Amino acid sequence: MSKSKDDGILSRPLGRRQFMAYTAGAGVAAAGLSSTALAQASKTGVDPAKWTAAYIKSIAGTETYDTAAECYKVVPKDYKGRLTYWYFGPTQASPQIEHDLDKQFWDAFKAMYPNIQVTALNLNYNEMIDKLRTSAIGKAAPMVVRLPILAGVEFAAKGQLMEFGPESVGYSKDEFWPGAMKSVTWKGKTYGVPTNNETMALIWNAALFKAAGLDPESPPATWDDLVAYSKAIKDKTGKNGYGMVARVNAGNTPFRFMPQLWAFGGGALDEAEENPTYKSIFVNNDASKKALQASYDMYVRDKSVPTSALTNTQNENQDPFIAGNLGMMIAHPSEYAVMLDRAKKATGEDKKVADEVVANMRYGLIPKGAARRAVVFGGSNAHVFRPDLVDGGLDVNAAKAIIAFATGPEWSTKMAWVSSNPGNLRGFKTKWMKERLETIKFLDVTTSMLPNGIPFPVVPQATEIMNIIVPNMLQNVLTQKMTVAAAADTAAKQIKELMNEL
Amino acid sequence: MTLATPTTTIRKPASAGAVRPRKLNILQRIWKHRHDYLYVLPSIGVMLLVIAYPVYYTVYLSFFNTPPNLALEDKIYVGLDNYWRVITAESVHEATWNTWVWTLWSTFLAFVIGFAAALALNHEFRGRGLLRGTLLVPYVISAVAAAYIWRWIFHSDFGVVGAISVALGITERPINFLDNVDIVMPSLIAVNVWKEFPFAMIMMLAGLQTVPEQLLRAAQVDGANAWQRFWHVTVPHVKGVTLVTVLLLLVTNLNSFTIPYIMTGGGPAGASEIWITHIYQIAFGRIRFGLASAYSVILFVIMMGMGYFYVRALTRGDDRSHG
């Protein structure tokens, strides 16, 4: 009996390139998958046949890496310098474990490079881009920034970033998802290194499902089902069914609405298509209008989602969920850790309710639509600003040291502990990945959404399209300021003007 | 005994041959007062740096297109195009309407409530000091903190006001204060008035304390009722401070940012977007610094016009005293 390729990987340590070659060579197994899943996978590079939950479990903990040795090859230990670093780290809404790991990260970096003086700034995810734009114009940018996957190309297009890729810190491009590498590539040049990549999943409260007469163990299979489930929960229990998020200029909104738009066959541009050109506007096609109509039905017709969805970020869904007042929401695996934290802090009757919610928490795949099942291929990337834009000038070795450290297999895994996946694919083979899989509930579900991931358009206008135009379209519909068709056409016009500006 | 008239003793008709003092031009006047200018030079330097340069740069940028995919140094000259785009944009018209609704209602209500509170506090009664201190609290609270607190009080799903209205059976569902295009602006104005009325109260209280007590008593002796004393004695005396208070409130409200931005970000669907939040969104949300600059220049001109009236109101007494 011949050994499978997986057996081969597990039987001996592999070099990085060998590992990736095995990963890429799994096309045969993909034959049984749908053409849409394969098409989606072609954009992210996540081979759906290979990257199954079982495969991820099978490779976890099979290799060890020496972080210090890898970093010191790039920048020696005794290097003396200074570093300014901006990132969106843990917030008050984050679980304690993220705060602990953030501290451990900085302590470990200090131990690794005791002579590099670090000024790190932890910024709010929703405010970071605006602040960074202003600081870059004012020549007060940080040396290194960890940016949401969507945003880097805007700064690259303006010529504000240095050419800087995995090779700059001793890694290979093959160690990262091709989709992630595309997000740091502008006009054929590389401007960053992926730190982490993830997809979200659908979370539901099984007790509320049961109370609404739904199967508590099965999530809605389609977006139409989700609308119906949301209404059933509202009608039968009086609680809100689905945690819609529709705030303008908040990153949470596109991460929750675009999967719906793509599932129906719509999009902002043609980013969900097999070979996106980013030249066709999909936001007002029939499929996009159907997706918008579904949101309208939940918010206006059924009133089955929070009224405050227009001003909420995802953080505002957490409290109603732990209080047993919200049926479903789209979130990271970290949401489970958040709920555990909140349940621990609750007292009296609240504690009883919170413990029940945690026990009834379920994770499943995000529903599919007429065209596909889709989720945002998210994550973040590390970038280096041009020396003349950095406050006090750029210390390129200090920048290399932090990026080598943060994007290596160890810390790209640890820093993605409860909310993401390591950007460096070798991280999947570490003992820390194994520990994550063993200790973090539902991680396998969110990870198994990876093959359905669709990256945001890699154009400098993406931030405005996703954070301003699309949420505005949604708000125009939900407030009944415009009809579905008018809102979609207005958004299409705005996108067209934006894309034709230059 | 004959009294000489002032005209015959003091003033003499100007004769054709009288020597007039030589009128100095502006440079000569500056030179004459050069030491005075020296004293204010540091302040002028700071003003030029922090006010004049930004104003100049904003005007300069307003003639350029600055798309998000271009660095600022690669901006494209477009002449007056940005001004035309601002003037003709539907979203600007909507923001302009919202701004005037916001400004006029906020100013009117803050002034009326502030004046009423000042009239009440102008009388001696037990606990007046405590009440005056309490009424000042909204004014001294940080606007950011107040906006966040009110955002939660007015939250459409779990706000305190909504919960009370449901508990008392007044409404079936929590009142939708912030996520409804028709109610959001009145809700924000209520918060703004709460924050601003103590300012009007303090200003008007100061004005009321300048009204001569004897005059009010004399009017009372002459048979004037309370309304007549208020209308014919108090109001004329506080006219000046009223004008200044109203102008300051108008300017402050036209420049508002914190409360609408934090509470709603201009939403939902632009229903609470006012000039300054709109400019901020265009500049930092959409990275159109040129367009935002043109918008700012237009607003600057409007503000300067109001500033002119404000300065005139402030210096009217000085003009009279200098003949």
Side-chain angles (χ1 to χ4, degrees):
Chain A
M1 193 176 148
S2 63
K3 285 174 87 177
S4 72
K5 281 177 183 173
D6 284 2
D7 292 340
I9 286 175
L10 289 166
S11 65
R12 63 186 191 282
L14 290 177
R16 278 179 253 159
R17 284 180 186 280
Q18 277 176 299
F19 167 65
M20 291 312 302
Y22 274 112
T23 312
V28 179
L33 289 157
S34 71
S35 57
T36 45
L38 288 174
Q40 278 169 249
S42 72
K43 289 191 287 295
T44 58
V46 184
D47 184 338
K50 194 74 180 175
W51 288 91
T52 59
Y55 172 71
I56 290 165
K57 273 183 185 163
S58 75
I59 61 168
T62 57
E63 284 201 10
T64 52
Y65 302 99
D66 185 345
T67 304
E70 289 191 3
C71 288
Y72 293 153
K73 269 189 217 164
V74 182
V75 179
K77 182 178 184 176
D78 57 356
Y79 179 75
K80 199 175 174 182
R82 60 177 278 275
L83 172 75
T84 49
Y85 183 82
W86 288 11
Y87 69 119
F88 52 99
T91 64
Q92 281 187 319
S94 306
Q96 185 56 40
I97 192 168
E98 286 194 355
H99 292 271
D100 296 343
L101 283 162
D102 185 59
K103 186 176 180 308
Q104 283 175 30
F105 173 84
W106 290 112
D107 289 346
F109 184 71
K110 179 83 185 157
M112 186 82 75
Y113 289 105
N115 300 321
I116 294 180
Q117 199 183 1
V118 181
T119 308
L121 190 60
N122 180 1
L123 288 162
N124 178 310
Y125 174 83
N126 290 320
E127 293 171 355
M128 183 174 204
I129 301 170
D130 290 353
K131 288 188 177 172
L132 198 62
R133 284 165 175 157
T134 318
S135 69
I137 288 166
K139 303 195 173 179
M143 293 178 201
V144 180
V145 63
R146 184 182 148 196
L147 268 178
I149 196 166
L150 169 76
V153 69
E154 175 191 317
F155 295 91
K158 287 178 186 171
Q160 292 176 329
L161 299 179
M162 271 186 67
E163 261 191 83
F164 196 100
E167 290 87 352
S168 312
V169 288
Y171 303 138
S172 151
K173 279 180 185 167
D174 297 338
E175 289 174 45
F176 302 86
W177 299 115
M181 285 312 301
K182 271 187 208 166
S183 73
V184 292
T185 306
W186 177 245
K187 293 190 174 172
K189 292 178 180 170
T190 309
Y191 291 96
V193 184
T195 58
N196 59 290
N197 292 107
E198 79 276 346
T199 46
M200 296 189 196
L202 184 83
I203 303 173
W204 75 94
N205 180 334
L208 274 182
F209 268 41
K210 198 175 172 187
L214 305 167
D215 177 358
E217 301 307 323
S218 304
T222 66
W223 278 97
D224 290 340
D225 290 344
L226 186 136
V227 175
Y229 278 36
S230 188
K231 182 174 173 6
I233 291 169
K234 187 71 187 184
D235 290 348
K236 301 271 175 61
T237 69
K239 313 283 173 72
N240 284 317
Y242 172 63
M244 184 185 281
V245 175
R247 188 180 173 87
V248 176
N249 208 9
N252 296 152
T253 305
F255 273 85
R256 279 152 193 83
F257 182 62
M258 293 312 292
Q260 187 181 337
L261 210 56
W262 292 328
F264 277 87
L269 301 166
D270 59 353
E271 67 277 3
E273 297 306 295
E274 193 168 346
N275 295 304
T277 59
Y278 307 135
K279 296 201 186 300
S280 308
I281 294 169
F282 275 41
V283 83
N284 61 340
N285 69 14
D286 288 343
S288 291
K289 286 175 187 168
K290 279 181 187 161
L292 265 176
Q293 183 66 45
S295 293
Y296 175 90
D297 290 346
M298 284 190 277
Y299 190 88
V300 181
R301 188 192 67 189
D302 303 338
K303 295 184 172 52
S304 67
V305 300
T307 312
S308 52
L310 306 182
T311 38
N312 279 354
T313 62
Q314 175 58 18
N315 287 347
E316 279 84 53
N317 279 333
Q318 292 173 343
D319 286 324
F321 192 87
I322 193 68
N325 289 326
L326 184 61
M328 301 173 276
M329 58 186 184
I330 291 177
H332 292 288
S334 61
E335 218 69 1
Y336 183 69
V338 169
M339 295 303 154
L340 275 177
D341 263 12
R342 293 195 177 202
K344 269 185 211 160
K345 287 173 190 164
T347 54
E349 196 58 29
D350 288 348
K351 170 124 185 89
K352 203 177 145 197
V353 172
D355 286 341
E356 272 174 27
V357 169
V358 170
N360 281 299
M361 230 173 138
R362 304 283 187 276
Y363 271 68
L365 301 181
I366 290 176
K368 58 184 177 185
R372 58 179 75 85
R373 188 191 307 281
V375 64
V376 175
F377 182 75
S380 47
N381 305 313
H383 305 277
V384 180
F385 270 91
R386 234 172 52 196
D388 58 312
L389 301 180
V390 174
D391 190 12
L394 172 67
D395 183 336
V396 77
N397 281 326
K400 281 183 177 181
I402 190 75
I403 293 176
F405 184 74
T407 62
E410 179 180 352
W411 282 102
S412 70
T413 308
K414 288 183 177 174
M415 291 305 281
W417 200 261
V418 287
S419 60
S420 189
N421 285 304
N424 190 314
L425 298 179
R426 287 186 295 144
F428 281 91
K429 301 183 81 184
T430 61
K431 61 178 177 182
W432 300 291
M433 186 68 195
K434 190 171 165 55
E435 190 185 334
R436 290 180 70 209
L437 288 167
E438 285 166 358
T439 56
I440 303 170
K441 219 173 166 181
F442 309 124
L443 182 64
D444 53 340
V445 181
T446 50
T447 306
S448 64
M449 283 293 304
L450 273 168
N452 302 104
I454 294 176
F456 287 126
V458 188
V459 291
Q461 297 89 343
T463 317
E464 182 168 348
I465 293 172
M466 293 299 164
N467 288 355
I468 309 273
I469 296 176
V470 169
N472 267 330
M473 170 179 75
L474 199 50
Q475 289 210 346
N476 284 334
V477 170
L478 302 184
T479 57
Q480 300 179 74
K481 187 178 174 181
M482 293 182 190
T483 62
V484 165
D489 289 342
T490 303
K493 191 176 160 221
Q494 288 169 343
I495 293 175
K496 190 176 177 187
E497 281 171 9
L498 182 66
M499 298 303 286
N500 291 340
E501 203 162 24
L502 266 185
Chain B
M1 194 174 134
T2 309
L3 288 173
T5 62
T7 45
T8 53
T9 55
I10 297 171
R11 290 187 184 171
K12 288 179 183 174
S15 64
V19 180
R20 276 187 179 171
R22 192 166 63 93
K23 201 173 178 185
L24 302 174
N25 66 30
I26 189 159
L27 289 175
Q28 288 168 323
R29 273 185 284 162
I30 288 172
W31 180 250
K32 189 181 169 192
H33 295 285
R34 59 190 178 279
H35 295 112
D36 301 336
Y37 283 108
L38 210 58
Y39 293 130
V40 295
L41 197 61
S43 314
I44 289 173
V46 172
M47 298 266 282
L48 284 174
L49 196 69
V50 300
I51 298 176
Y53 179 72
V55 169
Y56 152 75
Y57 193 65
T58 304
V59 174
Y60 169 75
L61 261 188
S62 71
F63 299 115
F64 292 88
N65 187 14
T66 59
N69 51 340
L70 280 187
L72 205 52
E73 54 264 34
D74 300 326
K75 57 193 177 297
I76 304 150
Y77 179 76
V78 290
L80 293 170
D81 188 48
N82 285 333
Y83 288 91
W84 180 245
R85 285 175 67 187
V86 169
I87 290 165
T88 56
E90 203 179 310
S91 61
V92 175
H93 298 160
E94 199 180 337
T96 303
W97 171 253
N98 290 340
T99 306
W100 285 111
V101 168
W102 161 268
T103 302
L104 295 177
W105 278 107
S106 293
T107 303
F108 173 72
L109 292 173
F111 178 76
V112 169
I113 295 171
F115 195 11
L119 284 167
L121 290 172
N122 199 34
H123 297 286
E124 285 284 350
F125 59 89
R126 273 185 76 172
R128 184 172 77 152
L130 182 70
L131 186 62
R132 192 159 49 192
T134 308
L135 290 177
L136 268 178
V137 169
Y139 188 61
V140 295
I141 286 181
S142 144
V144 174
Y148 273 111
I149 290 167
W150 278 101
R151 189 171 143 188
W152 284 108
I153 290 173
F154 279 168
H155 195 278
S156 308
D157 284 303
F158 28 90
V160 176
V161 180
I164 291 171
S165 72
V166 172
L168 295 177
I170 299 166
T171 56
E172 225 173 88
R173 288 168 64 95
I175 303 164
N176 185 357
F177 288 108
L178 301 180
D179 296 274
N180 181 314
V181 288
D182 298 320
I183 303 175
V184 65
M185 191 53 97
S187 305
L188 294 185
I189 289 171
V191 176
N192 197 37
V193 168
W194 170 84
K195 185 87 186 72
E196 275 183 346
F197 90 88
F199 168 74
M201 181 185 81
I202 289 294
M203 293 288 282
M204 296 312 294
L205 194 57
L208 286 173
Q209 285 169 1
T210 65
V211 180
E213 191 64 25
Q214 300 92 319
L215 216 55
L216 288 165
R217 281 199 197 132
Q220 198 172 9
V221 169
D222 287 345
N225 62 25
W227 170 253
Q228 287 168 327
R229 290 199 300 278
F230 171 72
W231 191 249
H232 295 291
V233 180
T234 306
V235 169
H237 267 90
V238 294
K239 214 166 127 188
V241 73
T242 300
L243 191 64
V244 171
T245 306
V246 169
L247 275 168
L248 281 175
L249 283 172
L250 279 173
V251 172
T252 306
N253 289 324
L254 276 174
N255 276 311
S256 289
F257 177 78
T258 311
I259 289 173
Y261 184 74
I262 288 178
M263 288 186 69
T264 63
S272 62
E273 197 83 90
I274 56 174
W275 278 341
I276 305 289
T277 59
H278 200 205
I279 289 172
Y280 179 86
Q281 294 289 4
I282 292 170
F284 300 104
R286 298 180 49 214
I287 327 298
R288 301 297 192 288
F289 294 106
L291 200 61
S293 296
Y295 203 156
S296 302
V297 170
I298 293 170
L299 189 53
F300 179 72
V301 171
I302 295 168
M303 293 304 212
M304 286 296 283
M306 296 195 68
Y308 169 77
F309 288 110
Y310 171 60
V311 172
R312 269 196 61 175
L314 274 183
T315 57
R316 199 159 52 176
D318 296 349
D319 292 345
R320 276 203 205 108
S321 64
H322 288 110

